[in-house]
Amino acid sequence: MSEWLQKQWFCKSVWHLLLLPLAAIYLGLIHLRKLLYKLNVFKSYSLSVPVIVVGNISVGGTGKTPAVIYLAQQLKLAGYCPGIISRGYGRSNSLVQAVSCGSSPDQVGDEPLLIAMRTACPVFVGNNRVAAGVALVKEHPEVNVIISDDGLQHYRLKRSLELAVVDADRGFGNGFLIPAGPLRETVARLSLVDAIVVNGNAEALKPVPNKNVFSMRLVGETFFSLDGKQKKSAAYFKKKKLAAVAGIGNPDRFFGHLRMMSLDFQSQAFPDHHLFCLEDFTPFKGKTILMTEKDAVKCQSFAVDDIWMLPVDAMIEPGLMKIILNKLTRI
């Protein structure tokens, strides 16, 4: 149902017009909520270190997780000690807790677990991002900057910088707010962020209401076995019977990446943040299975042979880090 609904958000029809009154009510609630924060009816809280929010204005996968990993790695290269907080979408509880490489994705969420594994940074999850940030800094006093994975609309947490990630292929869908479209906020919200990161060709998205727009591309050519002990190039899979599975926000991007590698496969999309079980792989018996790294963190305990993951890295135009480092220096 959710996959069908998201497809409808990228077109316009009569039933969208019927939902526009609800979208107008949603817009009114957005403005009311912002006003209440401005009037201090709702309280916002600062952490003891600068906070960089990496979020989006639309529902669905935009490439936010690779952008967070890239940012953490670049900050470390610049001499900072970053920590990362996240809600941990899809996890089975709402408690504030630390994420380690041995954490269960059911307890901490797949994206925070992947981020912790890829960055080796302190990572905390919690529905209350302020509490997560306080706990992280208390346990890791060496941390001198916090990256909030998502949270552009989480105004309870004050931030020093805002980055918005936008998918070039999907753009802003039909341009309507929820529930008539995919937008959490209007496109005008992008004029207030420090920079926009476009996953794909930024030129295809212009014009956008911000002068700081940077292209991001995802690169990855080497597959790893589920246990990480073996690695193979795409050529290894070209004569195999393949099945590609993806439980991410935009599975077509992963499938398209595989096709660009000249691989022929049966594809199967699952809901975003899907918690895989052994039965999910029964239809692919006798086939080599390819999946994203984000999905692979949820399959580590499976005794299934011939499953391979494709890690990807974000490559972002260098001007982005100049903006971020200049602002951090001034704080």
Side-chain angles (χ1 to χ4, degrees), residues 47-314:
L47 297 180
S48 58
V49 299
V51 174
I52 304 172
V53 170
V54 182
N56 52 35
I57 64 167
S58 60
V59 176
T62 58
K64 183 167 47 60
T65 299
V68 168
I69 293 171
Y70 170 89
L71 180 57
Q73 292 170 339
Q74 293 298 310
L75 286 171
K76 290 174 76 172
L77 290 174
Y80 285 89
C81 185
I84 300 159
I85 58 175
S86 174
R87 178 186 174 188
Y89 184 86
R91 64 198 184 103
S92 57
N93 65 74
S94 59
L95 300 176
V96 172
Q97 62 186 106
V99 181
S100 70
C101 293
S103 295
S104 165
D106 178 59
Q107 294 294 315
V108 302
D110 50 10
E111 290 170 347
L113 179 54
L114 174 59
I115 290 169
M117 294 171 68
R118 288 291 300 272
T119 65
C121 292
V123 179
F124 272 62
V125 293
N127 285 11
N128 184 335
R129 288 183 177 83
V130 176
V134 170
L136 189 156
V137 174
K138 181 178 180 180
E139 187 163 326
H140 296 275
E142 73 278 8
V143 166
N144 53 16
V145 59
I146 291 284
I147 303 170
S148 176
D149 173 28
D150 209 357
L152 200 60
Q153 293 79 32
H154 191 81
Y155 296 111
R156 192 167 185 269
L157 175 64
K158 291 185 178 180
R159 63 287 311 266
S160 308
L161 292 100
E162 291 183 329
L163 306 179
V165 183
V166 180
D167 183 81
D169 294 336
R170 292 185 167 192
F172 308 112
N174 57 19
F176 296 149
L177 289 167
I178 297 171
L183 295 183
R184 299 172 174 176
E185 297 185 85
T186 65
V187 176
R189 174 70 171 85
L190 295 178
S191 66
L192 303 177
V193 302
D194 293 275
I196 299 171
V197 177
V198 180
N199 186 2
N201 182 11
E203 295 297 323
L205 200 65
K206 290 183 177 180
V208 289
N210 196 304
K211 65 179 182 179
N212 297 322
V213 181
F214 302 93
S215 290
M216 174 179 79
R217 59 190 180 94
L218 301 179
V219 296
E221 301 296 330
T222 303
F223 294 82
F224 288 81
S225 57
L226 203 56
D227 60 11
K229 294 180 179 179
Q230 301 181 64
K231 60 181 180 179
K232 300 289 183 180
S233 67
Y236 173 80
F237 300 95
K238 288 187 177 180
K239 292 185 179 181
K240 290 182 173 289
K241 293 182 179 180
L242 301 175
V245 301
I248 59 177
N250 186 2
D252 288 338
R253 182 175 290 278
F254 174 61
F255 298 146
H257 191 132
L258 297 180
R259 292 188 184 99
M260 288 179 61
M261 301 168 82
S262 301
L263 296 178
D264 185 26
F265 53 89
Q266 173 190 353
S267 64
Q268 177 63 58
F270 290 86
D272 194 13
H273 304 285
H274 178 70
L275 287 175
F276 286 91
C277 62
L278 284 173
E279 288 73 19
D280 291 326
F281 302 103
T282 301
F284 313 119
K285 187 176 181 180
K287 293 187 176 182
T288 296
I289 299 171
L290 308 179
M291 62 171 49
T292 69
E293 189 179 20
K294 173 183 162 181
D295 291 323
V297 301
K298 295 171 285 189
C299 303
Q300 296 297 314
S301 62
F302 294 171
V304 178
D305 294 329
D306 218 11
I307 296 183
W308 299 79
M309 61 180 174
L310 179 66
V312 294
D313 294 299

